[in-house]
Amino acid sequence: MKLLIITNLFPNSVQPQRGLFNAQQAAQLAASHTVRVVAPVRWVPRWLATWAPLARVPVREEIDGIAVEHPRYLTVPLVSRPLNALFFYWGIRGTVRALAQRERFDHMMATWAYPDVVAASWVARECGLPLVAKLHGSDVH
């Protein structure tokens, strides 16, 4: 099976501890399936110094043998929340569509209800891929 995972909770070279549970699951799936990950990274205005290190996350990297893409999506903490799914969708759409066309995935899996699963459901429909949604505790609220 060829699986495309969409999640904002995944390690990267700047945040190696981020979403380790998703990385562990991806590694287990990759042991018997083809797995690619799209792990978008927030793009925030430069004046929000707290998030400035995210600019150093590469667009593509390999994490534990899995190819990971890091497209950017706009977010302005405390302001953009109602639009985060739309911004997330705009951020991942081009990357996901190109990968889906090239790789011919069997399924897409998204983790975290909002904005990830919402945005992934839109692009999965465009790509004609079935979507598996994985939710974790607090994101169900």
Side-chain angles (χ1 to χ4, degrees):
M1 177 172 65
K2 293 180 96 173
L3 178 65
L4 177 61
I5 299 174
I6 312 289
T7 181
N8 83 83
L9 294 168
F10 204 82
N12 60 59
S13 57
V14 173
Q15 301 167 307
Q17 301 300 311
R18 182 172 178 77
L20 287 176
F21 51 93
N22 283 328
Q24 291 168 345
Q25 183 177 51
Q28 288 296 311
L29 288 165
S32 56
H33 305 287
T34 300
V35 174
R36 293 287 303 265
V37 174
V38 173
V41 174
R42 295 174 180 201
W43 178 90
V44 294
R46 291 179 191 263
W47 50 267
L48 288 172
T50 304
W51 299 101
L54 293 178
R56 294 193 321 266
V57 175
V59 173
R60 285 177 199 83
E61 64 183 334
E62 191 172 296
I63 303 289
D64 295 330
I66 298 172
V68 182
E69 304 276 337
H70 296 294
R72 299 321 199 246
Y73 70 100
L74 175 67
T75 183
V76 181
L78 303 174
V79 177
S80 66
R81 182 120 175 101
L83 298 173
N84 280 353
L86 185 60
F87 292 155
F88 195 95
Y89 165 75
W90 285 340
I92 68 171
R93 184 175 185 247
T95 301
V96 170
R97 289 179 69 161
L99 283 171
Q101 188 173 34
R102 188 171 62 245
E103 304 275 338
R104 307 242 186 250
F105 296 103
D106 298 303
H107 292 84
M108 182 184 298
M109 181 173 81
T111 69
W112 204 257
Y114 186 85
D116 304 33
V117 170
V118 174
S121 71
W122 297 336
V123 75
R125 186 178 314 128
E126 289 177 7
C127 295
L129 288 171
L131 176 69
V132 174
K134 183 177 83 161
L135 307 180
H136 308 265
S138 65
D139 64 329
V140 174
H141 301 296

